[in-house]
Amino acid sequence: EVQLEESGGGWVQPGRSLRLSCAASGFTFDDYAMHWVRQAPGKGLEWVSGITWDGDDRGYADSVRGRFIISRDNAKNSLHLQMNSLRAEDTALYYCAKGESSGYYSWPDTWGQGTLVTVSS
Amino acid sequence: QSVLTQPPSASGTPGQRVTISCSGSSSNIGSNFVYWYQQLPGTAPKLLIFRNNQRPSGVPDRFSGSKSGTSASLAISGLRSEEEANYYCAAWDDSLGGWVFGGGTKLTVL
């Protein structure tokens, strides 16, 4: 069974940084792309970033490009999101999701339970 | 605003058939597959439909998807009370180089 467990969320002041992690199990991690998708309180889903199976190619939403960095450690079956220069509008529940295949153009097919990030002074 | 447009709400009675629409453009729905997710209250999204009309194993055949041009729709027949949830459409956008979602439709079972 695919399991994705996010961690690293919390409260942070605007302008500061935070690093999210996602521990994956139940599948061959380095065969699949991975995604981060967020959901602001009471709002809809927003794709944040995706990374190919080997980490060689990454994509970002315009709203986070230049501030967030996605990475993965296939040896440790883990996905990360380094979030810098955080803004109030980054406040959201951040989901880790597995892609259906190796490229991040593959759809998110299984999601974790999310980790909450709150950006506030 | 979301790139894909969905009605904010829909409703139906148990046993009824309801449809939820999703409208996009040539760079997303018009040239790529559409996906649908169900998000029950307080839970993570779950894949309901992939590649326009395919169901993952375990999803009842009461759920069906279709696409025409730059629009898509999700149909639920034999509506059940436990299917009261938010439903989201999604597609890859060639211009943006990423995934785009609809704003979500809150389905109420009366």
Side-chain angles (χ1 to χ4, degrees), chain B residues 56-70:
Chain B
S57 61
V59 174
D61 60 6
R62 297 183 298 99
F63 292 90
S64 62
S66 63
K67 174 187 141 176
S68 178
T70 58

Side-chain angles (χ1 to χ4, degrees), chain A residues 14-32:
Chain A
R16 304 299 289 266
S17 299
L18 204 61
R19 186 178 191 242
L20 305 184
S21 295
C22 172
S25 62
F27 64 103
T28 305
F29 184 70
D30 56 9
D31 276 351
Y32 296 93

Side-chain angles (χ1 to χ4, degrees), chain B residues 16-18 55 59-64 74-80 82-83:
Chain B
Q16 204 172 22
R17 182 178 187 270
V18 296
R55 288 184 306 277
V59 174
D61 60 6
R62 297 183 298 99
F63 292 90
S64 62
L74 171 72
I76 310 172
S77 60
L79 191 61
R80 298 183 178 184
E82 58 263 37
E83 286 154 4

Side-chain angles (χ1 to χ4, degrees), chain A residues 35 37 39 43-47 59-60 62 65 93 95 100 104-114, chain B residues 2 33 35 37 39 42-47 49-51 86 88 92 96-104:
Chain A
H35 302 274
V37 181
Q39 186 169 34
K43 302 296 184 182
L45 302 172
E46 180 188 17
W47 180 79
Y60 299 93
D62 288 344
R65 186 175 290 112
L93 186 62
Y95 292 104
E100 178 272 344
Y104 67 84
Y105 47 78
S106 68
W107 66 93
D109 66 2
T110 310
W111 303 54
Q113 291 304 306
Chain B
S2 301
F33 291 116
Y35 302 81
Y37 296 89
Q39 187 175 33
T43 70
K46 169 192 166 185
L47 181 66
I49 296 289
F50 66 97
R51 289 183 175 168
N86 286 305
Y88 295 91
W92 176 263
L96 297 175
W99 286 89
V100 292
F101 287 89

Side-chain angles (χ1 to χ4, degrees), chain A residues 70-89:
Chain A
I70 190 172
S71 63
R72 64 189 295 160
D73 184 340
N74 286 346
K76 295 182 178 179
N77 288 359
S78 61
L79 175 73
H80 305 283
L81 186 68
Q82 177 67 41
M83 305 187 295
N84 302 320
S85 302
L86 283 161
R87 306 167 180 168
E89 53 265 36

Side-chain angles (χ1 to χ4, degrees), chain B residues 27-39:
Chain B
S27 64
N28 41 67
I29 293 179
S31 52
N32 294 295
F33 291 116
V34 177
Y35 302 81
W36 290 91
Y37 296 89
Q38 177 193 59
Q39 187 175 33

